[in-house]
Amino acid sequence: MDRKAPSLQSFLEQGDSPAPRPGETGKTFKRRSSNINLQRSIKLLDEAVTPYVNRAVRTPKGNLRDSGLTPIRHETQIESDTQNLFLFTPGKKAKSVRSQTFDDTQNTTALRNTTNVVSFRQEPNYEGTMTIELTDVTLSNITIDEDPARKATQELYLEFKDSLKQQSALHQVLDLVASYESACAKQLSKIQQISKCLVRNQPKLQKTCSTGEQLLFEKNTWKLVHSLFKDRLESDAGRDSFEMDDSDGDILKTSVWGLSEQNISSRLFEKDANVRQSQLVVDWLETCAAEVLGDQPKNAKFFVDQPVAWENTLHNLQKSKQKLQTINSRQVTELDPDATLRQNKVLDDLDQEDERYFLQNLFVLIRAGQLEKAQELCHACGQPWRAATLEGWRLLHDPNYYAKTSSDISPLEGNPHRDVWKAVCWRLASEDNIYLYERAIYAALSGNLTALLPACSSWMDYVWAYFKVKVDVDVEKEIRLLHPTDRMLDSLPQEYTAKLLEAQEVFKEIAASSDENVRIQSENVFHTIQKYIILGDVPGLIETMYQWHQNRSCPPYLIRVLAHLVLFLRTIGQDYQKELCEAILKAYVEDLISKKHTSLVAHYVSKLNPEDQVQMYATFLEDIGAQEEQQKCLKLAEEEGLDVARITKTVVERIRMRENPNMFPKTSLAVDLSITEEDKAKIDAIQWLVFDEAHRPEAVRQANAIMRTFIAVKKHAAARLAFEKIPSDSIDVIYHLWHTKTGSSDLSSKDSNTIREYMCMKAYLDAVESFNDWFSLYHQGRPSKPAGAEGGSFTDQVAYEHKMKQFNQEYDRWMYNLQIQTRTTRDRIFNVLLFLDGGWLVDADEDPEKDASRQDQMSRLRKLHIPALCLNLHTVLHLSEMYVEAVQLADVIASEQYHLYRVSCFYLIASSIV
């Protein structure tokens, strides 16, 4: 015979707390006897006996143990300090960390912000809260050498790029968003683990927690993007293609289909995208809360041997029944669920405190969409009747109407008297003499927004409340319109539909909330993004993101988020205001360049328009110095399909124009032998064009331009270094490239003139070096004649003769070398003065794409250096006593074949003016 459940009277007559009943222990208290992990058991016990919220623990009356509930922290109690982002599972080691009180007033004050502009600081709250458990390690012995927040951010940059490359097709766009969310979750998990080791390092802990908070906000945002845009893209593909005629209503009311409230609700979600997406928002908010919640509900239980509610009040009634104590006149004398309302009395003080924490945990579970866990908690805490009250919302459905066979009768699903249950829940939520969270629980189930909002104190809470009520009202209206019934339904109050607002109006009300914390959070950048995504206002989102970029106060992590949002919108064809989108992408590229993310820049530059690709990547390459790094960057550019030829050309042109945009001085008669850092940068820039043989013609052209600049100011050493940057086989390479391209050995006029100028530069530099060698040999290499020995001793005379003999030998040797050097210098200078086919720095072929600036520079170089070379050659010949050739030089200058006199006359006129 089954044992009957004891009544309240039997409890009162026992005179003490009831003994555990076999087989009736709640799920929370069931234990397995096998495979026991002692360390884990000790840890769980440590967690269980330490309350999550710091409240005074009082010894209960009599011999009952404390029935205090270990509650889960709700968003209304999360401190604003960023280090509280990661809450520690309470235990003895972490006790000092959780010394702050459970004070809503302090929280609101800490979150106060005087600015009215968009805030880039994420205000911590429930939605940005994570829990980590301490392991049995000595925290003081663990050190973190590197910056974990910085490392997590860098890894996220790489993971986003890899995801973008691997899932670039349109049909993979939702998988791409999911990979973004997964990447954030991965780094968030690392941050949680690392934070365990940073308890003693408060500055690093604060920075790490702040990064973790940002990652949580971002992860939630990508989750919302995936959920809503998945539905919208499917809707565009034809999901909402059907329409319902007005006449269908009468048919549905009389059909078997309409007997199921579930059918009506399902059809409403199928046909109405607004309702469907509102439910997706609710699901998203509940999922976010559930992820933060984790396994915390496992710790939320009373410390009793069996599930008995209000055991302190029960204990008092037992003692009163035995005449051992007098019961308080304000305390209830019965323990049914309605006793407090019916008798207008209260529970024991300890039970009231436990009830508050219990209801708070219950609301947190409902807020997280975990109704089944909420019901389990009710059973575990001795309130199965309350679990039953949470069941009445289920929609009516009789599967037997739709069964193919009548052999098996299925039970009825849902609540056939749901209207009565809902009306009772509404009235209960409107009661003033019950707990705040109890009102909120039944308000959430009955669509009572007025009673639900006081329990909400974060932006996400408010959005959840408004949208949950909105969906509830829409579904209820549809069911009452289409569901046939043979009885009069219990009516709902007018306030039920009074707060039925459109989504745009919902966010306006939230932004104008009386709760200052909620108003501040509504300005959070991630909440702003989430708002526009929920509204489906893509143009507004893009404009807002562009304004953040324009303000120049956008933190780097946010620029990354905005750029990838823009790329996502572009992929699905919703990148409205393309100029604004392009500006956001450029800002991200600039951020990557500033942070030297070499492996990332090329990929994101490829997302820009062709002109910006060239300009942005050239900007990036300007500061790359190491040759191996340069080759790596060019290879990445080629892999991403960038125009490497234009880019490298732009790099070289920019570098050589840094110092003087006009590039060319009017005249310079002084010799500047110094090579500056800017000169070295210009010379090294040529290297960008010699990695690939295909760019060799441009390399020679740019080298010529740089040499023209150096020669103009007589920086001959710098010009020689620039010349040597060009590989010696460049002329052969240019001919080979042209022959491969056209099959002809006759170069284009542009390439032909480039090679000619290159040879002119070589001739000039050889002439200058030869003259410098002659000058050094003549003035510094001439041997010095020994001093005379008149009046000296015989020994002095002998020594003098010996020195004179050595001098004559050295002098003859010097004269011989001087003659050779003179001839070499003479020939090399003549190579310049008598350069074939028109003269030095004169194009032999007419180029249809003639560069006027280049022509002007070469003309000015001729006027500057040909007269100087003539004078230098005359000096060489005259001092070397080659007078005949010195006279012949005048004939060469006056010759009509070479027209050197024209340049010389210009030089004489210019000299006379100076």
Side-chain angles (χ1 to χ4, degrees):
M1 182 175 180
D2 294 339
R3 179 179 177 182
K4 295 183 179 180
S7 64
L8 174 62
Q9 184 67 22
S10 65
F11 273 116
L12 296 177
E13 291 175 353
Q14 288 178 12
D16 208 339
S17 300
R21 292 169 291 178
E24 296 188 12
T25 304
K27 295 181 181 178
T28 308
F29 305 101
K30 291 181 180 179
R31 297 287 184 268
R32 293 184 178 182
S33 58
S34 61
N35 300 326
I36 296 177
N37 186 325
L38 182 59
Q39 293 295 331
R40 183 173 181 274
S41 300
I42 294 174
K43 178 184 173 184
L44 291 174
L45 179 61
D46 184 51
E47 294 174 357
V49 299
T50 309
Y52 267 77
V53 181
N54 294 319
R55 58 188 179 91
V57 180
R58 297 172 290 173
T59 304
K61 299 176 181 178
N63 59 359
L64 285 179
R65 286 176 293 173
D66 183 22
S67 60
L69 177 68
T70 306
I72 303 154
R73 297 183 66 131
H74 182 47
E75 57 255 63
T76 56
Q77 288 90 18
I78 301 302
E79 294 85 350
S80 64
D81 192 336
T82 54
Q83 72 178 21
N84 290 324
L85 171 68
F86 301 129
L87 303 180
F88 295 94
T89 302
K92 296 179 181 179
K93 293 180 182 178
K95 187 173 181 180
S96 61
V97 179
R98 305 188 48 77
S99 60
Q100 294 181 325
T101 59
F102 202 66
D103 188 351
D104 289 344
T105 305
Q106 292 179 359
N107 300 334
T108 304
T109 304
L111 289 167
R112 196 159 291 162
N113 190 340
T114 57
T115 61
N116 292 321
V117 297
V118 175
S119 172
F120 291 103
R121 177 178 178 270
Q122 282 66 56
E123 301 297 344
N125 48 61
Y126 170 76
E127 65 212 39
T129 312
M130 286 154 282
T131 302
I132 60 175
E133 298 180 354
L134 290 178
T135 55
D136 295 329
V137 295
T138 306
L139 299 176
S140 59
N141 293 335
I142 297 180
T143 58
I144 302 295
D145 296 330
E146 58 186 336
D147 186 346
R150 182 174 178 270
K151 183 180 179 182
T153 303
Q154 290 178 339
E155 290 181 359
L156 209 58
Y157 277 90
L158 294 172
E159 291 185 30
F160 269 51
K161 189 266 288 185
D162 292 340
S163 298
L164 193 57
K165 290 196 69 173
Q166 296 167 7
Q167 298 164 325
S168 57
L170 176 59
H171 69 276
Q172 297 176 308
V173 66
L174 293 175
D175 294 334
L176 175 62
V177 174
S179 67
Y180 291 161
E181 179 191 345
S182 176
C184 292
K186 176 182 174 182
Q187 297 303 324
L188 188 58
S189 177
K190 291 182 180 180
I191 289 289
Q192 291 174 333
Q193 297 299 322
I194 292 173
S195 298
K196 301 176 185 178
C197 310
L198 297 177
V199 178
R200 306 299 179 96
N201 191 337
Q202 289 300 312
K204 189 173 289 187
L205 174 63
Q206 184 172 359
K207 182 178 180 181
T208 303
C209 292
S210 178
T211 301
E213 183 181 71
Q214 295 162 7
L215 289 174
L216 183 60
F217 276 117
E218 183 179 351
K219 180 175 76 74
N220 291 342
T221 302
W222 290 121
K223 187 190 297 292
L224 176 64
V225 170
H226 183 276
S227 177
L228 287 182
F229 278 96
K230 180 177 185 293
D231 182 81
R232 289 166 184 169
L233 292 175
E234 291 175 351
S235 297
D236 293 341
R239 180 174 171 179
D240 296 313
S241 59
F242 68 91
E243 296 180 358
M244 186 180 76
D245 297 332
D246 294 337
S247 59
D248 290 345
D250 297 332
I251 298 175
L252 295 176
K253 288 181 181 178
T254 58
S255 65
V256 174
W257 179 89
L259 295 176
S260 171
E261 294 180 345
Q262 290 185 16
N263 288 347
I264 297 173
S265 174
S266 297
R267 187 173 184 279
L268 174 64
F269 283 109
E270 289 178 1
K271 72 172 185 176
D272 194 327
N274 186 26
V275 177
R276 184 175 63 250
Q277 291 173 16
S278 295
Q279 181 60 48
L280 288 175
V281 172
V282 174
D283 294 341
W284 165 68
L285 290 163
E286 291 178 347
T287 302
C288 293
E291 290 176 352
V292 172
L293 198 60
D295 296 331
Q296 290 185 5
K298 294 181 180 179
N299 297 319
K301 55 183 177 288
F302 289 105
F303 305 150
V304 293
D305 293 326
Q306 58 186 4
V308 176
W310 308 328
E311 56 184 349
N312 292 285
T313 304
L314 172 61
H315 177 78
N316 293 340
L317 293 178
Q318 289 174 337
K319 294 301 182 182
S320 175
K321 187 73 174 180
Q322 296 174 0
K323 310 298 184 183
L324 297 179
Q325 71 178 40
T326 304
I327 193 171
N328 191 322
S329 60
R330 296 177 57 251
Q331 183 175 302
V332 295
T333 58
E334 299 174 352
L335 280 184
D336 60 277
D338 296 325
T340 54
L341 292 176
R342 185 178 63 256
Q343 294 184 346
N344 197 23
K345 293 186 178 181
V346 298
L347 302 173
D348 180 82
D349 290 345
L350 287 175
D351 289 339
Q352 290 185 57
E353 185 177 358
D354 292 338
E355 187 77 351
R356 280 194 297 271
Y357 288 114
F358 162 72
L359 292 171
Q360 178 183 336
N361 277 271
L362 204 59
F363 176 73
V364 168
L365 289 170
I366 292 174
R367 165 67 180 84
Q370 299 181 344
L371 184 62
E372 290 75 13
K373 288 187 178 181
Q375 291 174 314
E376 289 180 8
L377 180 62
C378 292
H379 285 286
C381 297
Q383 297 190 21
W385 56 269
R386 193 182 294 278
T389 65
L390 304 180
E391 191 71 12
W393 65 274
R394 300 189 184 276
L395 300 180
L396 177 64
H397 179 71
D398 189 347
N400 298 296
Y401 281 115
Y402 316 99
K404 295 182 179 179
T405 61
S406 58
S407 57
D408 296 328
I409 304 298
S410 301
L412 187 70
E413 299 176 7
N415 183 3
H417 300 286
R418 191 176 55 83
D419 58 315
V420 178
W421 169 88
K422 194 165 192 174
V424 173
C425 286
W426 181 282
R427 287 191 287 271
L428 181 61
S430 302
E431 291 286 345
D432 294 331
N433 57 345
I434 64 174
Y435 297 106
L436 168 66
Y437 289 106
E438 187 171 18
R439 290 198 304 271
I441 290 168
Y442 295 105
L445 297 175
S446 62
N448 190 337
L449 183 64
T450 304
L452 181 56
L453 287 178
C456 304
S457 64
S458 76
W459 184 88
M460 295 185 79
D461 273 354
Y462 267 65
V463 175
W464 172 79
Y466 274 97
F467 277 83
K468 186 171 181 63
V469 169
K470 181 180 184 298
V471 173
D472 188 281
V473 173
D474 288 336
V475 172
E476 187 69 29
K477 288 170 62 178
E478 188 77 1
I479 289 175
R480 296 205 174 206
L481 175 65
L482 300 179
H483 181 60
T485 180
D486 55 357
R487 64 179 179 84
M488 180 69 69
L489 296 179
D490 202 330
S491 62
L492 290 168
Q494 294 181 351
E495 295 87 348
Y496 181 67
T497 58
K499 278 290 186 180
L500 185 60
L501 303 175
E502 294 298 326
Q504 188 75 36
E505 297 171 336
V506 166
F507 288 108
K508 287 182 180 179
E509 283 212 357
I510 294 176
S513 170
S514 59
D515 190 328
E516 184 179 11
N517 182 33
V518 174
R519 292 199 306 273
I520 293 173
Q521 290 182 25
S522 67
E523 298 171 352
N524 176 289
V525 288
F526 284 103
H527 289 334
T528 303
I529 294 172
Q530 292 159 5
K531 177 188 73 173
Y532 282 111
I533 292 171
I534 293 171
L535 294 175
D537 184 6
V538 174
L541 174 61
I542 293 175
E543 289 180 3
T544 301
M545 293 192 300
Y546 178 75
Q547 289 174 2
W548 293 340
H549 153 65
Q550 287 291 92
N551 291 338
R552 298 295 180 184
S553 55
C554 234
Y557 73 86
L558 184 59
I559 288 291
R560 175 182 51 78
V561 177
L562 301 186
H564 287 86
L565 272 174
V566 165
L567 291 174
F568 166 75
L569 295 173
R570 174 186 290 181
T571 303
I572 63 175
Q574 296 189 20
D575 55 332
Y576 311 110
Q577 298 127 314
K578 296 185 183 297
E579 297 80 5
L580 307 188
C581 293
E582 193 79 8
I584 294 172
L585 292 177
K586 287 174 66 176
Y588 183 54
V589 171
E590 290 171 355
D591 178 66
L592 294 177
I593 293 174
S594 66
K595 289 182 171 58
K596 307 296 183 184
H597 287 300
T598 305
S599 61
L600 303 179
V601 174
H603 180 69
Y604 288 97
V605 166
S606 69
K607 305 300 179 183
L608 303 174
N609 63 63
E611 186 58 34
D612 285 339
Q613 289 178 8
V614 172
Q615 299 302 323
M616 294 299 293
Y617 207 68
T619 300
F620 167 62
L621 296 182
E622 283 185 56
D623 296 326
I624 304 297
Q627 185 170 335
E628 292 182 359
E629 196 72 11
Q630 291 176 347
Q631 291 178 321
K632 177 182 176 182
C633 293
L634 292 180
K635 183 179 179 181
L636 290 171
E638 290 178 351
E639 292 174 354
E640 297 296 341
L642 302 180
D643 189 344
V644 177
R646 284 191 62 198
I647 290 171
T648 50
K649 176 182 177 182
T650 303
V651 172
V652 178
E653 288 179 343
R654 283 187 180 179
I655 293 176
R656 66 184 177 83
M657 292 176 66
R658 280 179 182 172
E659 198 172 70
N660 183 7
N662 296 324
M663 288 184 53
F664 212 75
K666 292 183 178 180
T667 58
S668 178
L669 300 179
V671 177
D672 186 357
L673 299 178
S674 63
I675 301 178
T676 66
E677 291 298 323
E678 190 66 31
D679 295 337
K680 293 179 181 178
K682 293 177 181 179
I683 296 167
D684 293 338
I686 301 173
Q687 188 67 36
W688 288 111
L689 294 166
V690 300
F691 291 125
D692 190 344
E693 287 188 352
H695 305 154
R696 196 62 59 83
E698 187 61 36
V700 177
R701 272 190 287 274
Q702 294 296 332
N704 289 342
I706 292 174
M707 287 188 285
R708 288 198 301 269
T709 305
F710 288 145
I711 291 174
V713 293
K714 296 190 177 181
K715 288 190 173 183
H716 298 133
R720 172 59 72 176
L721 291 177
F723 179 85
E724 292 174 351
K725 278 290 182 178
I726 300 298
S728 58
D729 64 344
S730 293
I731 295 177
D732 292 337
V733 170
I734 293 174
Y735 271 98
H736 175 72
L737 290 173
W738 183 257
H739 185 270
T740 303
K741 180 179 179 181
T742 65
S744 172
S745 59
D746 295 331
L747 294 176
S748 66
S749 57
K750 184 176 183 179
D751 287 349
S752 177
N753 290 334
T754 297
I755 292 177
R756 178 180 173 83
E757 182 182 356
Y758 176 73
M759 298 306 297
C760 288
M761 292 296 177
K762 181 180 185 305
Y764 175 80
L765 293 174
D766 290 345
V768 169
E769 289 180 0
S770 184
F771 175 78
N772 290 337
D773 292 341
W774 177 89
F775 189 88
S776 176
L777 179 61
Y778 183 85
H779 292 284
Q780 299 174 11
R782 179 194 292 268
S784 301
K785 186 176 182 179
E790 293 81 357
S793 64
F794 176 79
T795 304
D796 293 337
Q797 290 290 336
V798 172
Y800 174 73
E801 291 176 357
H802 179 71
K803 290 179 181 179
M804 282 299 295
K805 184 178 180 180
Q806 287 183 333
F807 166 74
N808 291 330
Q809 292 176 348
E810 291 177 0
Y811 184 82
D812 292 340
R813 189 184 303 112
W814 172 79
M815 281 297 296
Y816 176 79
N817 292 334
L818 182 63
Q819 289 176 359
I820 294 176
Q821 184 62 46
T822 300
R823 294 190 187 98
T824 302
T825 303
R826 176 199 63 190
D827 294 343
R828 289 186 175 181
I829 293 179
F830 270 124
N831 284 342
V832 176
L833 299 179
L834 308 180
F835 205 89
L836 297 177
D837 298 331
W840 183 68
L841 290 183
V842 176
D843 288 341
D845 298 331
E846 186 68 23
D847 187 357
E849 300 177 1
K850 183 181 295 186
D851 185 346
S853 175
R854 172 176 171 272
Q855 294 295 325
D856 177 66
Q857 292 174 15
M858 292 194 302
S859 175
R860 288 159 62 184
L861 283 177
R862 282 175 56 80
K863 295 174 181 178
L864 176 65
H865 290 292
I866 287 180
L869 286 173
C870 290
L871 291 177
N872 289 342
L873 178 56
H874 181 269
T875 301
V876 170
L877 296 174
H878 181 76
L879 294 179
S880 300
E881 299 180 358
M882 301 173 68
Y883 302 114
V884 175
E885 295 189 23
V887 173
Q888 291 175 348
L889 175 61
D891 297 334
V892 173
I893 294 175
S895 172
E896 290 293 336
Q897 180 180 356
Y898 304 110
H899 303 293
L900 296 179
Y901 66 90
R902 298 177 182 176
V903 181
S904 301
C905 290
F906 172 84
Y907 174 76
L908 294 174
I909 294 172
S911 301
S912 64
I913 295 175
V914 173

